[in-house]
Amino acid sequence: MNHTSIIGTGSYVPANIVSNATFEKIVDTSDEWIRTRTGIENRHISINENTSDLAYEASVRALDDARLSAERIDLIICATVTPDYFIPGVSQILQRRLGCDAITAFDINAACTGFIYALEIADKMLGSGDYENALVIGAETLSKFTDFSDRNTCVLFADAAGAMVLTRGEKQSIKKIVTHAWGDLEGFLRMETYPLKQDFLTVEDKRPFIRMNGREIFKFATRVLPETIRELLALTGYDLHDLDLIIAHQANKRIIDHAAKVLAFPPGKMYVNIDRYGNTSAASVPLAIDEAKREGRLAKGELFATVAFGAGLTWGGAIIEL
Ligand SMILES: CC(C)(COP(=O)(O)OP(=O)(O)OC[C@H]1O[C@@H](n2cnc3c(N)ncnc32)[C@H](O)[C@@H]1OP(=O)(O)O)[C@@H](O)C(=O)NCCC(=O)NCCS
């Protein structure tokens, strides 16, 4: 059968932990403000490991969990907005480092929804019957693109990687997956790039940074999170009561609390680890899935919904049975 079965997960964060107290020293903020407005207490900021290093460690753990050797992987998709290089992609670096054959490997950019998009692509490629085992990763070193003098963003973003191994099998783990986009022409959430060289002589070297209109993104996120859960339930026929857990993208604890309230879903069944990791963009969902599994919050056969949203604007989600 050309079904997609999830057979392993893994995650990795750099060792360096940065607490809210550090930000009190560099911008006009406080531990109290960050905790109460975002739910974040600590985050991991990489000192010398790049995105592919974090992705490699998460992948090794996921392959280990799946009890599958890297030679058996024939598809790697890495969701990232912070690759080591524009080219080569993180997925191509991983192909060599993991010791895979000359397989299909590519990166995608759908910001914080990247892992959901990558999962949808892998699910459909495995479903075609042309691929056997896929490694899907979300990995970021957002600290590279963070302006540490901008209090609106620097307290939020951080570094991590999460990975999942999928195989073509008997069981369809991914019950339904949806993805959406609505172009952010207003610039509510942007990671800048280099300016066009209109004058070869005078364009100054400008570092690209993340810029955000927090209020607009908050409004967007609080709308699409419950909307996507309702959409998934309507498409599958499942009921909220069927869900053992909701794993939302970890962008702000208040966004997660708001979703629980409007859906009338038990807050204790909304997974939260933003207090320890901050917002890790495409890594957030696979990191949370792996942690929920390891903490015993998700067991084999249990059903959960995952939803992500972010720059692009992009959003999407899935209902998954482990
Ligand atoms: C960024 C965010 C935490 C700000 O919280 P908020 O309660 O909405 O705060 P507001 O945006 O209304 O700003 C209130 C004030 O706090 C200030 N502020 C922002 N960051 C601050 C910080 N780290 N410390 C102290 N004050 C801060 C703002 O400058 C603003 O001041 P002003 O009124 O003088 O202009 C919140 O808007 C948010 O989480 N937005 C979504 C962000 C997100 O999810 N992004 C990623 C999507 S993947």
Side-chain angles (χ1 to χ4, degrees):
M1 290 290 276
N2 292 347
H3 285 328
T4 303
S5 311
I6 296 172
I7 55 167
T9 62
S11 59
Y12 180 79
V13 288
N16 178 40
I17 299 174
V18 179
S19 72
N20 291 344
T22 303
F23 292 93
E24 290 179 338
K25 295 184 206 129
I26 57 174
V27 287
D28 180 14
T29 191
S30 66
D31 172 48
E32 208 261 334
W33 191 96
I34 302 170
R35 271 174 205 261
T36 54
R37 301 295 184 101
T38 71
I40 300 168
E41 295 173 23
N42 290 300
R43 75 284 286 143
H44 294 246
I45 302 286
S46 181
I47 295 170
N48 51 18
E49 293 166 301
N50 215 323
T51 300
S52 70
D53 300 307
L54 308 187
Y56 174 80
E57 296 298 337
S59 300
V60 167
R61 291 173 187 197
L63 287 166
D64 202 40
D65 189 42
R67 296 198 172 86
L68 197 78
S69 68
E71 302 93 77
R72 303 270 314 276
I73 295 289
D74 53 3
L75 171 65
I76 302 177
I77 308 175
C78 183
T80 185
V81 293
T82 53
D84 303 28
Y85 316 102
F86 287 133
I87 41 174
V90 172
S91 51
Q92 292 124 30
I93 295 171
L94 288 179
Q95 174 274 327
R96 275 283 289 284
R97 283 191 65 190
L98 290 167
C100 303
D101 288 338
I103 55 164
T104 306
F106 59 94
D107 289 5
I108 64 140
N109 173 348
C112 302
T113 321
F115 186 79
I116 306 285
Y117 270 78
L119 207 56
E120 174 161 32
I121 299 166
D123 181 37
K124 265 118 205 187
M125 287 178 80
L126 289 172
S128 74
D130 290 342
Y131 296 85
E132 202 77 46
N133 295 301
L135 174 64
V136 180
I137 306 127
E140 305 284 8
T141 43
L142 288 162
S143 56
K144 287 189 300 205
F145 293 93
T146 302
D147 176 354
F148 285 96
S149 66
D150 176 12
R151 70 176 182 175
N152 291 300
T153 54
C154 73
V155 301
L156 303 174
F157 299 108
D159 307 336
M164 192 178 265
V165 180
L166 307 154
T167 195
R168 204 176 74 201
E170 292 298 314
K171 174 177 158 178
Q172 182 61 30
S173 302
I174 300 170
K175 302 299 177 194
K176 190 74 203 172
I177 191 157
V178 294
T179 45
H180 299 287
W182 188 262
D184 174 19
L185 306 186
E186 292 81 5
F188 290 145
L189 182 49
R190 276 192 184 159
M191 192 185 284
E192 297 169 346
T193 178
Y194 296 98
L196 291 166
K197 300 256 181 223
Q198 285 161 353
D199 178 335
F200 293 109
L201 301 175
T202 56
V203 173
E204 60 198 88
D205 195 11
K206 184 169 152 268
R207 268 197 72 180
F209 285 127
I210 299 169
R211 299 285 176 215
M212 182 181 70
N213 179 330
R215 269 173 217 169
E216 289 298 334
I217 295 297
F218 194 88
K219 273 195 277 178
F220 154 71
T222 48
R223 176 173 59 82
V224 298
L225 205 179
E227 233 174 60
T228 307
I229 295 284
R230 289 194 185 112
E231 179 185 8
L232 287 164
L233 295 176
L235 288 168
T236 54
Y238 285 119
D239 187 85
L240 262 186
H241 301 291
D242 295 321
L243 299 177
D244 294 297
L245 203 63
I246 293 181
I247 298 184
H249 167 48
Q250 306 286 307
N252 187 321
K253 170 88 166 37
R254 287 192 293 137
I255 295 173
I256 297 171
D257 291 345
H258 176 269
K261 204 164 150 201
V262 302
L263 290 168
F265 191 71
K269 286 164 81 177
M270 300 289 298
Y271 189 77
V272 175
N273 67 3
I274 190 170
D275 50 324
R276 285 171 283 145
Y277 301 115
N279 180 343
T280 60
S281 189
S284 156
V285 161
L287 169 65
I289 294 173
D290 184 52
E291 283 225 320
K293 245 181 69 182
R294 283 189 288 117
E295 289 165 0
R297 299 278 306 276
L298 268 182
K300 222 176 165 44
E302 288 192 324
L303 197 72
F304 71 99
T306 180
V307 178
F309 47 83
L313 301 171
T314 56
W315 66 103
I319 290 190
I320 297 174
E321 185 187 306
L322 266 193

